[in-house]
Amino acid sequence: MVDGQWLMKKTEAVQASCVNHEPSNINHPARRVMLREKYKTEIDHILSRYPVRRSALLPLLYLAQEEDGYVTEAAMKEIAGLLRLTPSQVYETVTFYTMLNLKPVGRFHIQVCKSLMCALVGSDTVIGWLNTRVGVGPGETTADKLFTLSVVECLGACGTGPMMQINDEYYERLTEDKVDRILADLKRDGTSPLKTGPFMWPEPAGERCQ
Amino acid sequence: MRQYELILTKNMMQPGYTGLREEYERAGGYQALRKVLGKIPPAGVTELVMKSGLRGRGGAGFPTGVKWGFLPKDYRGPKYLCCNADESEPGTFKDRQLMERDPHQLLEGMVLAAYAIGAETSYIYIRGEFVLGARILEKAIGEARAAGYIGTNVLGSGITADVWVHRGAGAYICGEETALLESLEGKRGLPRVKPPFPATHGLYGKPTVVNNVETLANLPHIVDRGPEWFASIGSPPKSTGTRVFCVSGHVKRPGNYEVPMGITVRELVYEHAGGMRSDKPLKAFIPGGASAPFLTPEHLDVKLDFESVAQAGSMLGSGGVTVMEEGTSMVWAALRLMEFFYHESCGKCSPCREGSSWLTQTLRRILDGRGRTTDLDTLTELCKNIAGRTVCAFGDAEVAPIESTLKYWRHEYEALIKAAAHHAVDGHGSGSGLLMPAGRH
């Protein structure tokens, strides 16, 4: 699909959601699992940690994202209700944070750091490798919805660059061969043993580099 | 290579150390807490910390005991302790190691601090990407709670000290202490106007202390071995103790190195980090994270302590030392950092919000060979109008890479602009353009 067509579709969708006061089918509360039903204990536990309900917003948004793959409009509305906020208070918070996705991402969200420290040791090359291997550019998702490639700012692993984060895991000191192995592992097993464990660098004596 | 006594990274350097509670206890852990509870009054702990000379390890280097002392003395309502584990300053990756390898050291430090300031509830605000770190801390908190180190009636003392992990969600600015508090309150992470300071109006408007991970991890050792011992390490009287320096960039052995403050950059880079990765000499380094101005090979003998680095025109900051070899374009390096700051500007103050965009575009234009002779003045003028004119220190930070590279490597900027002018005369390029060329973002 060319850019223009995509934009048209997007515009139509936005207009539709603006004129239609009923939630769209996909996000209709009746059609999805309510967080408060599925995660009641967890939500109660989260709320108990804070004297002010709104503090539970980020933790609940994480729950929602885990459930749906991204933060849906329906989830934002439900969370607003749970925390006695307006939906727009939830939305304004969501849009501030880069880790909260407002649209679906692939099963594996690859985020490559491109900030100076990683760039000095070759992050741009890593982005090129991934681009070729996965077949999509930054900000894009593969047609099979397996991989989304993002280029991001500093992830706090500057001594072990170039590095990338895939879903919850860090992969560091990347080489071309390592990137290939990680991608193959993920496709085959859904996980890779090349992910970083409890971090320490340089490694203490007696621990082997992966 | 000179070897120094390790304090914060001592346990984790032991082969097989996994940071479980029993191991931490075997290594002498939680003895400081036992030494304090019921024996030393809270004010006594603050006094110990003041005497030790401990200064914040997050970036600003504010004396920790003094910060605690700002809390109102007779306040009866709730107070809070927040551990700043956002570790968002590019070049910095020490807190991740301290949390993931020895979580109980941090927890013991937190309970000591919470006791000293009278906070019954503490939060660890950890950057969202550190999922493993958050899990490790949750597990450690569970272990500590089961052993009575955390929770109600800590070690039978009647003191309540609860600790919770709170994950951020991807925002550099949440490392700024008031932005951190906003974020913890479930809002956008916009820094607050100060004063009032968190000491009086912090989390939920209550008296609050925000301390960095490394700062808090030092506390058990200060209590255990005494403030005099701590004050004798490093460059007393103003820079006491060790720092876990994070070395990145073009060195042979990048990584975390715990050394006493006051060793030279040369020693850190050439001995601990193994020197330059290839035969190219060192061209530039940043001594304290992305917010610290660049320095040159002439500064290699500067001592890594708060005063010396400040005197050299930069700052010790978060301890992130990034090394660049000969051949690295300084305009490119400045742009990479500027792109970071542009992306991370929270948008609250217009000088920073707009200025970071203009600076990025101007730098990009120069690097792309479309620079104009007026561009250096534009950069200087923009920097002057951002630094010191924003609510938080972000404004000062974002101009540091540009001002310092302009100061030491102005000829690189000029060469690029000169080449662009020739290019334009040749008729191959426009050489001019809008201040904000469309589509450059």
Side-chain angles (χ1 to χ4, degrees), chain B residues 52-72:
Chain B
S52 75
L54 177 68
R55 292 170 66 173
R57 277 14 180 184
F62 197 82
T64 307
V66 177
K67 199 178 205 178
W68 295 0
F70 288 152
L71 259 66

Side-chain angles (χ1 to χ4, degrees), chain A residues 45 49-52 54-55 57-59 62 92-93 95-100 114-117 119-121 123-124 153-159 165 168 170 172 196-202 204-205 207, chain B residues 12-13 80 90-91 93 96-97 100-101 123 127-132 135 164-170 173 183-190 204 248 250 254-257 322 324 332 336-337 339-340 343:
Chain A
H45 180 63
R49 293 183 220 156
Y50 309 101
V52 175
R54 184 167 181 165
S55 275
L57 183 48
L58 287 182
Y62 272 128
E92 69 163 21
T93 306
T95 55
F96 189 78
Y97 297 96
T98 54
M99 286 179 66
L100 300 170
K114 65 152 267 259
S115 293
L116 176 65
M117 292 71 190
L120 287 171
V121 290
S123 59
D124 292 4
E153 296 293 351
C154 190
L155 295 175
C158 318
Q165 179 173 13
D168 287 351
Y170 273 29
E172 295 163 74
T196 309
F199 174 75
M200 182 150 181
W201 200 262
E207 285 187 32
Chain B
M12 62 185 82
M13 289 299 278
Y80 295 98
F93 46 92
R96 178 178 171 212
Q97 178 165 324
E100 294 185 2
R101 287 287 179 152
Y123 297 100
R127 71 175 290 165
E129 292 90 346
F130 288 173
V131 182
L132 181 62
R135 281 191 202 131
W164 305 106
V165 175
H166 185 95
R167 287 176 61 208
I173 195 61
S183 179
L184 188 43
E185 291 182 5
K187 302 171 190 159
R188 293 167 73 86
L190 306 183
Y204 313 122
S248 61
H250 296 147
N256 284 321
Y257 297 96
T322 302
M324 284 154 268
W332 171 82
R336 270 301 156 112
L337 287 180
E339 285 173 343
F340 170 83
H343 182 261

Side-chain angles (χ1 to χ4, degrees), chain B residues 240-278:
Chain B
T240 58
T242 62
R243 281 303 288 263
V244 182
F245 286 108
C246 321
V247 189
S248 61
H250 296 147
V251 292
K252 275 205 183 78
R253 289 197 303 268
N256 284 321
Y257 297 96
E258 184 183 12
V259 293
M261 271 194 272
I263 74 159
T264 62
V265 185
R266 190 185 300 280
E267 184 182 337
L268 180 69
V269 170
Y270 288 91
E271 295 184 30
H272 299 275
M276 302 305 287
R277 67 171 184 182
S278 66

Side-chain angles (χ1 to χ4, degrees), chain B residues 67 84 173-182 194 197-198 210:
Chain B
K67 199 178 205 178
N84 187 342
I173 195 61
C174 292
E176 198 273 351
E177 62 176 7
T178 58
L180 182 151
L181 298 175
E182 288 285 301
K194 295 163 287 269
F197 290 94
V210 184

Side-chain angles (χ1 to χ4, degrees), chain B residues 124-171:
Chain B
I124 303 175
Y125 185 97
I126 184 169
R127 71 175 290 165
E129 292 90 346
F130 288 173
V131 182
L132 181 62
R135 281 191 202 131
I136 290 172
L137 284 169
E138 297 267 19
K139 190 176 163 207
I141 289 170
E143 287 182 317
R145 190 168 276 133
Y149 297 126
I150 283 177
T152 46
N153 197 16
V154 176
L155 295 175
S157 64
I159 302 292
T160 295
D162 252 321
V163 181
W164 305 106
V165 175
H166 185 95
R167 287 176 61 208

